[in-house]
């Protein structure tokens, strides 16, 4: 089947999204998939219950034979039914979310020609439900099949990361002018792309180009919903662990009533049954407004596996080691970590990364105030953290912080020995003081931390030590002079190799990371700043490292996924050590 995809004029899409109906001068040609789906309260099962109770109450009140007690119970039931939807709306955070209010706010400077449609209000709840799904699934790509309220689409778009995208299938194009104005409405509109054409053909095309979605949204009210659902599942348009949301699956409460002949209702009932008997998925129908089915692909079913390939039954590759998929194996839930030099730069990024992966994190720094700021940042994100002051070159400080961490969280699983200094001087001028200071922090301090944390870890038979070395352990960075620094970092690598091999058979892995030149305060000194351009010519990647470039490595080395790795020096330097 041929398909004629066109770009919808963004400005019209935005009008559709925000101010439906579209202004008269930009009238669409007939129905478009992206439009409001009217879900008045009298179309939700609860709304219909309320409507019927209201009628019953009127009859009861007009009939003197009806006992007062019956009227009382009717009123009580009515109060409960009428109050539910408004209460759910009122208690939905969505109302306080900028983007939804921003339906109006973001048009600042452009006078809306049409007042926002009242239905937008009823989209808050659904918008919030879907927003939460987007976050929980970690969705980046969303497919919309069928109609969905504009403000709901925007709510989902807002929850996406900057590189996230919504693909909407629209059956018919409508007239409009292409315009840059769209960006005045909502920056998130740019994340929505509309494929115009018959839905089946659009889906075929998405399969042909290898698209894969984290969330697929299907409107049950459109007749082809069963076919669309089957197509999505059969052709793997939904990624593993992705979620399908089907809207309107309660069909005004008609779907579970007997003696129903309405074909639309029967079609939705069929869809619900098809999904419910599909062994590939599990589902629940949430009674949100018109009903929302939440469906996820079940993990491979043991019976099917046994039938197809007996040897897979105990296969860790197939099922995942310890029945965990690879990304879950990187999680650090329940683990206790500390990061020295965590008050800024690389240490701060390590602390955030370990916390995001699930660990509790103690931020250790020479300057308590810096550690406290980072600990506060983590707790804002819901990560358990504490701030501790210590000079890692002092054994008593090191022991004190480990005691404090054990007192607070019971143990230490992950030790990130990252604090380091670089004083830069030509070798012939390097004072003994500089040499000692550099070695005291970079090597002695790191040794003290490894030893104190290592003792706890050896006792419990498990631990991950990640030391921050430097590319300076592999090459002699130039033109800056930093003999003491380079030598201390080479020492870090040898220390790591030695401990890594000495402790591995007692469950403690010791590795180090060697960053290249990273854009942190360490390289912002007056001496080093002018060298940046020069360094860039030495870096195949053509740019300095950002602290975020190092975060995945620390999580990997802290996780059980790297358990076979020890004594390793992991260089992350954009290729610089190879030139
Ligand atoms: N930035 C780079 O280019 C680069 C490259 C390779 C390796 N490294 C290494 O990464 C580590 C972190 O570097 P950064 O760039 O984030 O540095 P940074 O100077 O931005 O941060 C270092 C942090 O360590 C703290 N600190 C210093 N001495 C301490 C001590 N004695 N005890 C406890 N905390 C102390 C500081 O207060 C500071 O918060 C260092 O070991 C450094 O050698 C940095
Ligand atoms: O990887 C090199 C860094 O450790 C160092 O910060 C750089 O050489 C600047 O002196």
């Amino acid at each position: 089947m041929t398909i004629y995809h066109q770009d919808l004029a963004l400005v019209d899409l935005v009008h559709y999204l925000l101010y439906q109906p579209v202004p008269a001068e930009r009238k669409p040609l007939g129905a478009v998939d992206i439009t409001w789906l009217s879900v008045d309260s009298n179309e939700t099962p609860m709304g219909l219950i309320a409507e019927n109770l209201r009628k019953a109450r009127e009859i009861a009140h007009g009939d003197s034979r009806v006992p007062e007690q019956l009227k009382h119970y009717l009123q009580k039931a009515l109060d409960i039914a009428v109050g539910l939807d408004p209460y759910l709306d009122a208690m939905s955070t969505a109302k306080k979310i900028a983007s939804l209010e921003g339906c109006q706010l973001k048009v600042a400077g452009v006078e809306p020609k049409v007042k926002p449609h009242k239905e937008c209000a009823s989209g808050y709840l659904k918008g919030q439900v879907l927003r939460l799904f987007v976050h929980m699934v970690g969705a980046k790509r969303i497919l919309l099949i069928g109609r969905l309220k504009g403000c709901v689409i925007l709510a989902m778009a807002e929850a996406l990361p900057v590189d996230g995208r919504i693909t909407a299938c629209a059956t018919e194009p409508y007239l409009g002018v292409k315009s840059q104005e769209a960006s005045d409405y909502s920056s998130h509109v740019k994340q929505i792309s509309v494929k115009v054409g018959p839905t089946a053909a659009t889906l075929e095309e998405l399969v042909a180009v290898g698209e894969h979605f984290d969330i697929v949204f299907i409107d049950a009210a459109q007749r082809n919903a069963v076919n669309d659902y089957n197509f999505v599942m059969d052709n793997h348009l939904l990624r593993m662990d992705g979620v399908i949301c089907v809207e309107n699956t309660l069909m005004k409460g008609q779907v579970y009533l007997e003696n129903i002949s309405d074909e639309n209702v029967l079609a939705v009932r069929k869809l619900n049954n098809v999904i419910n008997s599909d062994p590939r998925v599990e589902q629940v129908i949430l009674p949100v407004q018109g009903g929302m089915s939440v469906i996820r692909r079940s993990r491979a079913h043991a019976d099917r596996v046994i039938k197809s390939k007996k040897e897979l039954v105990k296969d860790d590759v197939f099922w995942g080691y310890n029945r965990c998929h690879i990304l879950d194996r990187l999680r650090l839930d329940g683990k206790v970590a500390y990061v020295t030099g965590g008050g800024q730069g690389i240490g701060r990024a390590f602390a955030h990364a370990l916390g995001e992966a699930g660990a509790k994190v103690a931020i250790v720094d020479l300057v308590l105030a810096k550690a406290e700021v980072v600990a506060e940042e983590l707790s804002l994100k819901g990560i358990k953290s504490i701030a501790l002051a210590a000079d890692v070159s002092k054994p008593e400080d090191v022991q004190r912080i480990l005691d404090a961490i054990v007192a607070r969280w019971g143990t230490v699983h992950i030790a990130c020995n990252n604090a380091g200094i670089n004083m830069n001087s030509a070798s012939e001028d390097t004072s003994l003081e500089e040499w000692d200071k550099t070695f005291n922090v970079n090597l002695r301090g790191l040794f003290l931390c490894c030893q104190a944390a290592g003792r706890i870890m050896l006792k419990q038979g498990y631990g991950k030590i990640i030391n921050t070395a430097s590319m300076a352990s592999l090459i002699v960075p130039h033109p800056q002079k930093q003999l003491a620094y380079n030598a201390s970092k080479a020492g870090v690598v040898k220390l790591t190799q030695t401990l890594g091999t000495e402790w591995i058979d007692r469950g403690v892995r010791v590795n180090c990371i060697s960053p290249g030149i990273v854009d942190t305060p360490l390289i912002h000194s007056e001496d080093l700043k002018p060298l940046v351009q020069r360094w860039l010519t030495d870096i195949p990647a053509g740019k300095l490292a950002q602290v975020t470039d190092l975060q995945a490595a620390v999580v990997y080395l802290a996780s059980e996924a790297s358990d076979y790795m020890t004594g390793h020096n992991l260089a992350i330097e954009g290729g610089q050590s190879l030139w």
Side-chain angles (χ1 to χ4, degrees):
M1 195 180 293
T2 34
I3 179 154
Y4 38 93
H5 285 166
Q6 303 177 3
D7 280 343
L8 283 183
L10 273 181
V11 73
D12 289 324
L13 173 62
V14 175
H15 258 286
Y16 244 95
L17 296 177
L18 304 183
Y19 306 122
Q20 211 268 345
V22 159
E25 69 270 27
R26 298 207 184 112
K27 202 85 184 138
L29 283 178
V32 176
D33 273 352
I34 305 293
T35 182
W36 305 120
L37 179 69
S38 176
V39 185
D40 292 336
S41 61
N42 62 2
E43 293 196 359
T44 68
M46 196 51 78
L48 286 161
I49 291 171
E51 196 184 311
N52 285 298
L53 284 170
R54 221 177 266 118
K55 285 178 187 157
R57 186 188 57 176
E58 269 167 36
I59 294 169
H61 278 282
D63 188 336
S64 57
R65 290 167 306 168
V66 176
E68 283 306 308
Q69 223 184 353
L70 181 54
K71 288 181 196 163
H72 168 76
Y73 284 126
L74 268 177
Q75 185 60 49
K76 243 179 136 174
L78 183 59
D79 290 345
I80 292 171
V82 166
L84 181 68
D85 285 346
Y87 185 73
L88 293 179
D89 265 354
M91 289 298 113
S92 159
T93 318
K95 284 200 168 156
K96 294 156 209 149
I97 290 169
S99 75
L100 292 172
E101 289 174 330
C103 285
Q104 290 174 76
L105 295 179
K106 285 184 178 152
V107 297
V110 182
E111 194 58 39
K113 291 177 183 136
V114 182
K115 288 251 178 288
H117 199 276
K118 71 172 169 54
E119 286 166 10
C120 203
S122 69
Y124 282 129
L125 178 61
K126 196 169 298 158
Q128 178 64 350
V129 171
L130 292 174
R131 270 178 71 90
L132 288 175
F133 284 158
V134 173
H135 283 301
M136 288 187 297
V137 171
K140 274 193 163 183
R141 287 171 182 247
I142 298 172
L143 175 64
L144 306 181
I145 305 170
R147 302 179 298 168
L148 188 62
K149 275 198 188 98
C151 54
V152 174
I153 300 177
L154 280 182
M156 292 170 92
E158 193 192 65
L160 285 171
V162 279
D163 57 344
R165 200 154 48 73
I166 293 181
T167 303
C169 304
T171 50
E172 294 178 41
Y174 58 89
L175 282 180
V177 281
K178 288 181 190 286
S179 168
Q180 291 302 311
E181 277 177 67
S183 57
D184 293 334
Y185 290 88
S186 166
S187 55
H188 298 289
V189 169
K190 296 192 187 92
Q191 290 175 276
I192 303 166
S193 88
V194 183
K195 301 264 184 197
V196 182
T199 301
T202 302
L203 295 180
E204 293 272 8
E205 188 185 279
L206 293 172
V207 170
V209 295
E211 280 282 14
H212 219 194
F213 296 94
D214 307 310
I215 295 181
V216 176
F217 178 93
I218 301 173
D219 178 12
Q222 39 121 20
R223 279 299 186 80
N224 282 329
V226 173
N227 295 342
D228 295 341
Y229 166 80
N230 281 325
F231 189 91
V232 166
M233 288 302 298
D234 294 347
N235 293 282
H236 296 286
L237 274 175
L238 183 72
R239 72 136 156 96
M240 185 179 76
D241 290 334
V243 167
I244 301 180
C245 293
V246 187
E247 192 187 33
N248 288 320
T249 44
L250 289 178
M251 273 303 240
K252 305 177 192 174
Q254 305 297 296
V255 78
Y256 46 84
L257 297 184
E258 287 180 7
N259 304 323
I260 290 289
S261 55
D262 182 326
E263 290 195 357
N264 293 324
V265 178
L266 294 176
V268 174
R269 185 185 286 173
K270 181 179 169 196
L271 172 69
N272 289 344
N273 287 335
V274 164
I275 296 169
N276 208 32
S277 56
D278 185 344
R280 298 168 296 183
V281 300
E282 52 186 327
Q283 79 153 335
V284 63
I285 300 181
L286 303 177
V288 176
Q289 294 180 338
M292 185 187 288
S293 299
V294 183
I295 302 149
R296 76 184 272 272
R297 188 189 282 278
S298 315
R299 295 217 165 155
H301 201 281
D303 294 347
R304 286 172 59 207
V305 171
I306 292 164
K307 266 183 225 145
S308 65
K309 240 180 165 202
K310 276 208 162 49
E311 62 271 26
L312 284 184
V313 172
K314 288 189 177 162
D315 181 22
D316 280 346
V317 173
F318 182 81
W319 295 103
Y321 184 69
N322 281 341
R323 299 271 155 149
C324 271
H325 285 169
I326 187 63
L327 292 179
D328 294 331
R329 291 177 60 198
L330 294 168
R331 291 211 55 90
L332 304 174
D333 302 299
K335 295 287 191 286
V336 174
Y338 75 76
V339 183
T340 68
Q344 68 181 40
I346 295 170
R348 171 174 171 261
F350 281 178
H352 273 267
L354 296 169
E356 285 171 17
K360 304 177 185 82
V361 191
I363 316 296
V364 181
D365 206 284
L366 191 58
V367 186
L368 181 61
K370 288 203 238 170
E372 284 173 339
V373 169
V374 177
E376 182 60 28
E377 289 171 4
L378 295 197
S379 68
L380 277 176
K381 289 165 49 168
I383 298 164
K384 285 195 167 57
S385 62
I386 49 172
L388 299 168
D391 178 345
V392 294
S393 65
K394 296 185 176 157
E396 61 279 14
D397 278 21
V398 170
Q399 197 51 55
R400 182 173 44 74
I401 56 155
L402 279 149
D403 290 346
I405 296 166
V406 172
R408 174 66 75 97
W409 291 322
T411 189
V412 174
H413 304 106
I414 300 159
C416 251
N417 303 314
N418 164 78
I421 55 171
N422 186 2
M423 296 170 75
N424 295 102
S425 64
S427 302
E428 61 275 27
D429 299 327
T430 299
S431 65
L432 202 51
E433 195 193 354
E434 175 185 333
W435 178 272
D436 286 344
K437 210 170 166 190
T438 307
F439 270 75
N440 278 347
V441 179
N442 293 7
L443 196 50
R444 173 187 151 107
L446 188 130
F447 160 66
L448 289 171
C449 290
C450 284
Q451 192 181 53
R455 284 177 180 147
I456 297 168
M457 293 172 174
L458 289 167
K459 215 184 233 174
Q460 71 193 7
Y462 178 84
K464 295 282 196 170
I465 296 178
I466 303 129
N467 296 323
T468 304
S470 164
M471 176 184 67
S473 69
L474 299 164
I475 63 165
V476 177
H478 64 282
Q480 71 276 28
K481 308 282 191 290
Q482 47 188 36
L483 168 69
Y485 181 83
N486 295 349
S488 71
K489 291 298 185 180
V492 169
V493 173
K494 191 49 78 182
L495 178 147
T496 300
Q497 292 170 343
T498 308
L499 293 182
T501 50
E502 196 175 316
W503 289 350
I504 175 82
D505 62 350
R506 285 180 281 166
V508 181
R509 285 87 178 167
V510 189
N511 293 288
C512 61
I513 294 175
S514 275
I517 302 180
V518 192
D519 192 3
T520 73
L522 188 91
I523 62 156
H524 294 166
S525 70
E526 288 311 310
D527 286 347
L528 295 182
K529 251 196 298 190
L531 302 180
V532 170
Q533 284 312 317
R534 170 73 198 274
W535 288 334
L536 290 180
T537 61
D538 286 341
I539 305 175
K543 55 185 181 181
L544 299 185
Q546 297 301 315
V547 292
T548 45
D549 292 324
L550 311 172
Q551 288 180 301
V554 81
V555 171
Y556 169 63
L557 291 176
S559 73
E560 62 90 354
S562 64
D563 272 358
Y564 199 63
M565 195 161 166
T566 199
H568 190 73
N569 183 15
L570 182 54
I572 304 175
E573 29 61 299
Q576 189 175 355
S577 68
L578 305 172
W579 259 3

